[in-house]
């Protein structure tokens, strides 16, 4: 029961969701994995080897919905077996991608982006690079990703070049990173794409705080460093 409105609101229903319309808008949040799975269930049961393009066509036909595309760019390198080059085979070297909803979302975010990377420790090694922005409600919005061989100058150059080409196309943006030499090198190699007046490179105060504490071992000054940055 909603107070002062003399009505009730159903907040939870444990049955299946069946109230989708025959036509769904392109940003309809209810077209989730459960709805799509139910829509294509009979197709997969009839042919478990069904192609992804057939699944996409079924969703488009049933809901009049076009799945948003993504910006993808990848680089490959030769394949070697020992010291011998394997002909006609190449392996993945780097890949950059950004989903169209992320690209569209950034148009409505603050003119600031922050990049960082983390190492991958699973079966496949490498490094995941991520860039995020912030909307008007201070929510963090991821806008682009890349899997690269490591935090090298070439890898960051690959990431930042594609980020400029596909996602961050406006000028006057703030660009926040840590003080990694490979990032600074990549910025210098980008022909002004991440330099004033097109962009303004700043260092993350949290990384500066961490570096300061590691060098000077003075926890009582840690908060002061953050306050100075703010």
């Amino acid at each position: 029961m909603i107070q002062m409105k003399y009505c009730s609101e159903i907040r939870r229903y444990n049955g299946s969701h069946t109230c989708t319309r025959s036509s769904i808008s392109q940003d309809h949040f209810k077209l989730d994995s459960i709805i799509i799975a139910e829509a294509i269930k009979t197709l997969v049961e009839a042919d478990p080897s069904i192609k992804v393009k057939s699944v996409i066509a079924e969703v488009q036909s049933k809901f009049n919905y076009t799945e948003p595309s993504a910006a993808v760019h990848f680089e490959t390198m030769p394949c070697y077996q020992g010291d011998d080059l394997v002909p006609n085979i190449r392996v993945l070297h780097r890949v950059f991608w950004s989903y169209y909803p992320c690209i569209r979302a950034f148009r409505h975010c603050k003119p600031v982006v922050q990049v960082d990377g983390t190492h991958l420790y699973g079966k496949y090694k490498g490094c995941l690079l991520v860039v995020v922005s912030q909307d008007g409600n201070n929510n963090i919005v991821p806008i682009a990703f890349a899997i690269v061989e490591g935090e090298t100058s070439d890898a960051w150059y690959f990431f930042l070049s594609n980020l400029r080409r596909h996602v961050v196309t406006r000028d006057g943006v703030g660009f926040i990173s840590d003080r990694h030499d490979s990032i600074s090198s990549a910025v210098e190699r980008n022909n002004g794409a991440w330099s004033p007046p097109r962009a303004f490179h700043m260092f993350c105060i949290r990384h500066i705080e961490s570096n300061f504490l590691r060098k000077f071992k003075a926890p009582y000054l840690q908060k002061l460093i953050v306050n100075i940055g703010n």
Side-chain angles (χ1 to χ4, degrees):
M1 177 64 69
I2 301 177
Q3 295 182 358
M4 305 301 293
K5 290 189 177 181
Y6 306 102
C7 63
S8 298
E9 176 186 6
I10 299 175
R11 295 187 176 180
R12 181 174 179 178
Y13 175 63
N14 294 325
S16 59
H17 183 78
T18 59
C19 62
T20 54
R21 299 178 298 173
S22 58
S23 178
I24 290 181
S25 61
Q26 296 300 295
D27 60 351
H28 202 293
F29 68 93
K30 292 189 180 297
L31 188 59
D32 56 12
S33 59
I34 297 176
I35 295 297
I36 294 177
E38 190 64 30
I40 66 174
K41 181 179 179 181
T42 55
L43 292 177
V44 177
E45 287 176 341
D47 181 13
S49 63
I50 187 173
K51 303 294 184 181
V52 173
K53 63 181 181 180
S54 299
V55 173
I56 294 175
E58 175 67 14
V59 173
Q60 292 177 346
S61 174
K62 191 163 188 175
F63 298 110
N64 191 28
Y65 178 85
T66 302
E67 297 185 6
S69 59
V72 180
H73 182 76
F74 62 89
E75 293 180 354
T76 61
M77 59 183 182
C79 178
Y80 289 90
Q81 189 170 12
D83 294 330
D84 299 327
L85 176 65
V86 180
N88 303 321
I89 294 180
R90 297 186 66 85
V91 296
L92 180 66
H93 187 36
R94 308 180 182 113
V95 59
F96 166 94
W97 74 95
S98 177
Y99 303 108
Y100 178 69
C102 297
I103 298 173
R104 188 174 61 179
F106 180 66
R107 300 171 187 167
H108 308 283
C109 288
K110 299 175 183 178
V112 61
V113 295
Q114 181 169 0
V115 300
D116 205 354
T118 183
H119 293 286
L120 302 177
Y121 297 100
K123 179 180 178 181
Y124 301 101
K125 310 303 179 183
C127 189
L128 172 66
L129 305 182
V130 180
V131 57
V132 300
S133 187
Q134 192 179 74
D135 66 12
N137 294 323
N138 296 327
N139 296 311
I140 300 300
V141 182
I143 58 176
F145 316 85
I147 293 178
V148 296
E149 69 278 14
E151 289 198 68
T152 66
S153 177
D154 288 343
W156 276 110
Y157 176 77
F158 167 82
F159 183 57
L160 295 180
S161 297
N162 282 287
L163 181 64
R164 251 309 183 195
R165 182 178 304 114
H166 299 292
V167 186
V168 185
T169 56
R170 57 174 148 162
D171 290 341
V173 296
F175 172 67
I176 304 174
S177 75
D178 60 26
R179 295 173 56 86
H180 205 290
D181 290 339
S182 59
I183 299 178
S184 298
S185 174
V187 168
E188 293 176 359
R189 294 170 56 189
N190 261 272
N191 298 320
W194 293 104
S195 301
R198 298 196 63 194
F200 300 88
H201 190 191
M202 301 167 279
F203 295 125
C204 173
I205 189 63
R206 292 296 178 183
H207 283 93
I208 295 177
E209 170 198 10
S210 178
N211 294 339
F212 178 90
L213 184 62
R214 187 182 302 113
K215 182 170 183 177
F216 295 102
K217 313 296 183 185
Y220 63 94
L221 294 176
Q222 189 173 2
K223 187 175 181 180
L224 179 62
I225 293 297
V226 176
N227 291 340
I228 292 173
N230 293 334

